[in-house]
């Protein structure tokens, strides 16, 4: 019988982190590889696919839409593309699970289909704002109905003719940009998206790799409808966001020296490196290379005493998923860390400012929330009980902070770690964490 009982971890200070490890594939790239593979002509092979619940949910959605997807081995997918107009509608709701990326990108793509669709998600996703995609897609001619407050489920009408628009995003968001670009594949004329700060450009890069003419530069992208996607091979790099927990843990646990192998180093993702170095971290990049058109490098991190820093502005989108880990680093650093310009954290899988503030406070850290960030005062941490609020990155970040606590820490509601980082607990133990699932 499947049990839906919440799981928890018991975490205690471990040994210094040592050795060499490889984290799973990038979540953003894995979602997009399935999506573009499905819409392409021909067979797309994906290696390094993230076997997380989020990305598997996206693959299941496309199977529901008539796309044959095989899994010949772990982290491998073979997607038999049906072409831009080959998806088949279904009356069943399409379940995106916990994945904001899945739902927002699918909203763009499904708004352009001949059939109606309904997108649903889990309790967390059902509270996340969707107006940010509904409004511009409506300007393109789409018809999408949401629940009160612009929340999921999304009912998307088919058979609409879309037209390209020029759209300046009010908030920097790769998900919104990508939704518009995917709708733009089907639109008449040109779709132009401008961002207030540059965000991750995987959709743009992957569209180009699948042969779609697209012009892009940091902060803007433009494409026209009416071309074809051609199947290709996608080698997904290791997810920088998963490596982030180990970068912080090895920085704060004395005696650590850890190598993270072949991590994706897209500059729109590596803002945490800048932030940690500003705080005094010792992280070297070795064996720089390329994988699937993305820069990769080994990251060698050694323990170093961290001090507080100011983090905000342009750096924020480049480390948008790494703030929970940064908060953990700040709690172990000397002095004050001030985070600003990061109000988006309040509408992620949880309100990540409130969740980290409550979690770190439970371990004795001094932390004051701001509407767009927090001030964290580093100092000794104690054992206690903290709640991840069902958010994978909060759970893993609290486990990192617990490596420096004076006693045992219980972290509640950790099942959602499987959305982005299946096997985190085993890998963390291998590296030196003391972390065990509670009964
Ligand atoms: C993602 C974009 C980011 C990020 C999310 C993945 C993507 O969200 O937080 O985890 O794959 O495009 P926003 O674009 O909404 O900031």
């Amino acid at each position: 019988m499947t049990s839906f009982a919440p799981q928890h971890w018991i975490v205690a200070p471990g040994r210094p982190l040592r050795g060499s490890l490889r984290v799973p594939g990038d979540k953003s790239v894995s979602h997009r590889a399935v999506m573009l593979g499905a819409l392409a002509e021909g067979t797309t092979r994906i290696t390094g696919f993230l076997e997380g619940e989020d990305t598997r949910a996206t693959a299941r959605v496309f199977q529901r839409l008539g796309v044959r997807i095989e899994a010949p081995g772990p982290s491998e997918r073979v997607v038999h593309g049906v072409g831009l107009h080959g998806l088949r509608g279904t009356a069943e709701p399409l379940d995106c699970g916990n994945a904001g990326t899945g739902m927002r990108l699918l909203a763009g793509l499904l708004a352009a289909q001949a059939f109606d669709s309904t997108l649903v998600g889990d309790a967390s996703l059902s509270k996340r704002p969707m107006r940010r995609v509904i409004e511009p897609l409506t300007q393109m001619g789409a018809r999408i109905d949401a629940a009160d407050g612009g929340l999921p489920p999304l009912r998307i009408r088919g058979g609409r003719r879309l037209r390209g628009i020029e759209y300046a995003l009010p908030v920097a968001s790769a998900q919104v940009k990508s939704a518009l670009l995917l709708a733009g594949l089907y639109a008449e004329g040109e779709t132009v998206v401008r961002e207030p700060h540059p965000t991750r450009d995987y959709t743009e890069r992957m569209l180009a790799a699948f042969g779609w003419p697209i012009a892009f530069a940091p902060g803007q992208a433009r494409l026209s409808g009416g071309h074809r996607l051609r199947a290709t091979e996608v080698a997904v790099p290791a997810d920088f966001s998963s490596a982030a927990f180990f970068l912080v843990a090895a920085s704060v646990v004395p005696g650590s020296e850890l190598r993270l192998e072949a991590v994706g180093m897209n500059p729109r993702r590596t803002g945490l490196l800048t932030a940690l170095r500003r705080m005094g971290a010792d992280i070297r990049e070795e064996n720089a290379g390329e994988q699937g058109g993305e820069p990769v490098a080994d990251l060698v991190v050694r323990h170093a005493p961290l001090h507080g820093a100011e983090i905000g502005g342009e750096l924020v989108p480049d480390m948008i998923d790494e703030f929970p880990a940064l908060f953990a680093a700040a709690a172990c650093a000397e002095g004050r860390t001030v985070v600003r310009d990061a109000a988006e954290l309040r509408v992620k899988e949880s309100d990540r400012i409130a969740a980290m503030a409550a979690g770190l406070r439970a371990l004795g850290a001094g932390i004051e929330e701001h509407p767009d960030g927090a001030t964290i005062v580093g100092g000794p941490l104690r054992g206690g009980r903290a709640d991840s609020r069902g958010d994978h990155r909060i759970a893993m970040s609290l486990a990192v902070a617990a490596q420096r606590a004076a006693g045992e820490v219980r972290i509640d509601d950790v099942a959602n770690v499987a959305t982005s980082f299946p096997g985190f607990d085993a890998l963390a133990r291998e590296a030196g964490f003391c972390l065990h699932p509670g009964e």
Side-chain angles (χ1 to χ4, degrees):
M1 200 181 96
T2 316
S3 160
F4 294 101
Q7 295 170 21
H8 65 267
W9 288 332
I10 301 294
V11 191
R15 15 179 197 95
L17 281 79
R18 295 244 162 211
S20 185
L21 52 94
R22 185 179 288 249
V23 299
D26 189 277
K27 181 150 73 79
S28 294
V29 176
S30 296
H31 278 298
R32 288 160 170 83
V34 167
M35 291 181 184
L36 297 194
L39 299 177
E41 291 169 22
T43 303
T44 290
R45 277 167 215 287
I46 309 173
T47 52
F49 180 76
L50 172 65
E51 297 286 1
E53 286 173 4
D54 277 13
T55 43
R56 290 161 72 120
T58 291
R60 266 197 308 277
V61 165
F62 282 92
Q63 287 172 320
R64 282 282 177 91
L65 295 170
V67 180
R68 194 152 67 86
I69 302 177
E70 295 163 291
S75 304
E76 287 173 21
R77 291 295 184 278
V78 175
V79 184
H80 298 273
V82 294
L84 223 49
H85 299 282
L87 297 177
R88 286 199 315 262
T90 167
E92 299 288 309
L94 299 166
D95 189 356
C96 302
N98 190 244
T101 304
M103 185 173 282
R104 293 192 178 121
L105 272 59
L106 276 162
L109 200 150
L110 292 173
Q113 304 301 318
F115 50 83
D116 295 352
S117 336
T118 301
L119 292 175
V120 299
D122 71 2
S124 152
L125 183 52
S126 300
K127 286 189 228 137
R128 296 185 63 187
M130 293 296 149
R131 270 199 195 117
R132 52 181 61 199
V133 286
I134 297 172
E135 275 175 14
L137 289 171
T138 304
Q139 284 179 32
M140 293 178 79
R143 171 109 195 256
I144 303 176
D145 298 314
D148 286 352
L151 301 179
L154 299 183
R155 290 179 214 293
I156 303 171
R157 296 293 171 84
R160 313 281 302 177
R161 282 199 37 183
L162 303 188
R163 53 192 173 273
I165 58 168
E166 189 158 340
Y167 189 71
L169 296 184
V171 177
S173 166
Q175 294 179 351
V176 178
K177 170 179 65 176
S178 301
L180 303 188
L181 293 176
L182 292 176
L185 302 182
Y186 295 85
E188 223 166 85
E190 202 176 36
T191 299
V192 183
V193 187
R194 292 184 212 288
E195 309 173 281
H197 298 295
T199 64
R200 65 193 72 189
D201 55 3
Y202 297 124
T203 305
E204 298 91 308
R205 284 163 172 256
M206 210 183 282
L207 282 169
F210 277 79
W212 198 282
I214 175 165
F216 63 99
Q220 58 170 307
R222 66 171 69 216
L223 57 72
S224 298
H227 302 280
R228 295 188 317 175
L229 294 169
R230 278 185 213 89
T232 184
E233 313 237 315
V234 183
V236 181
D239 199 324
F240 182 91
S241 295
S242 296
F245 306 107
F246 293 101
L247 292 177
V248 173
S251 292
V252 301
V253 175
S256 298
E257 177 166 351
L258 189 66
R259 175 181 295 267
L260 295 151
E261 297 162 18
V263 180
M265 294 290 287
N266 183 308
R268 299 279 75 85
R269 295 293 300 285
T270 53
L272 180 73
L273 282 181
T274 309
L276 287 177
R277 285 173 176 151
R278 209 178 268 176
M279 296 170 78
D282 175 358
I283 304 173
R284 276 179 296 127
E285 295 166 37
E286 292 184 1
N287 300 326
E290 217 190 79
Q291 192 182 320
E294 287 288 331
V296 294
D298 288 358
L299 295 175
V300 181
V301 50
R302 282 209 194 95
H303 167 257
L306 301 187
H307 50 78
E310 308 241 323
I311 311 291
E314 285 269 328
L315 194 54
V316 170
D318 291 351
M319 55 178 291
I320 192 65
D321 293 331
E322 279 59 78
F323 280 96
L326 177 91
F327 279 37
C332 302
E334 199 180 310
R336 278 154 42 106
T337 295
V338 182
V339 172
R340 295 274 182 207
D341 309 317
E344 272 293 290
L345 297 177
R346 296 209 179 267
V347 290
K348 293 294 179 189
E349 286 84 327
S350 67
D351 174 341
R352 286 184 168 161
I353 298 173
M356 282 309 290
L360 290 175
R361 246 180 236 135
L363 307 187
I367 171 163
E368 184 198 336
E369 282 187 46
H370 312 303
D372 66 342
T375 298
I376 304 132
V377 183
L381 299 177
R382 57 168 187 256
R385 184 168 177 176
D387 187 350
S388 82
R389 303 191 178 182
D391 183 328
H392 53 132
R393 298 202 202 283
I394 303 297
M396 292 183 275
S397 300
L398 292 172
V400 168
Q403 295 311 296
R404 281 276 301 261
E408 198 172 84
V409 177
R410 174 182 162 133
I411 304 172
D412 287 314
D413 205 359
V414 299
N416 261 355
V417 168
T419 59
S420 71
F421 200 156
F424 168 76
D425 51 353
L427 210 56
R429 276 193 298 274
E430 191 184 315
F433 277 58
C434 175
L435 179 153
H436 295 281
E439 324 70 79

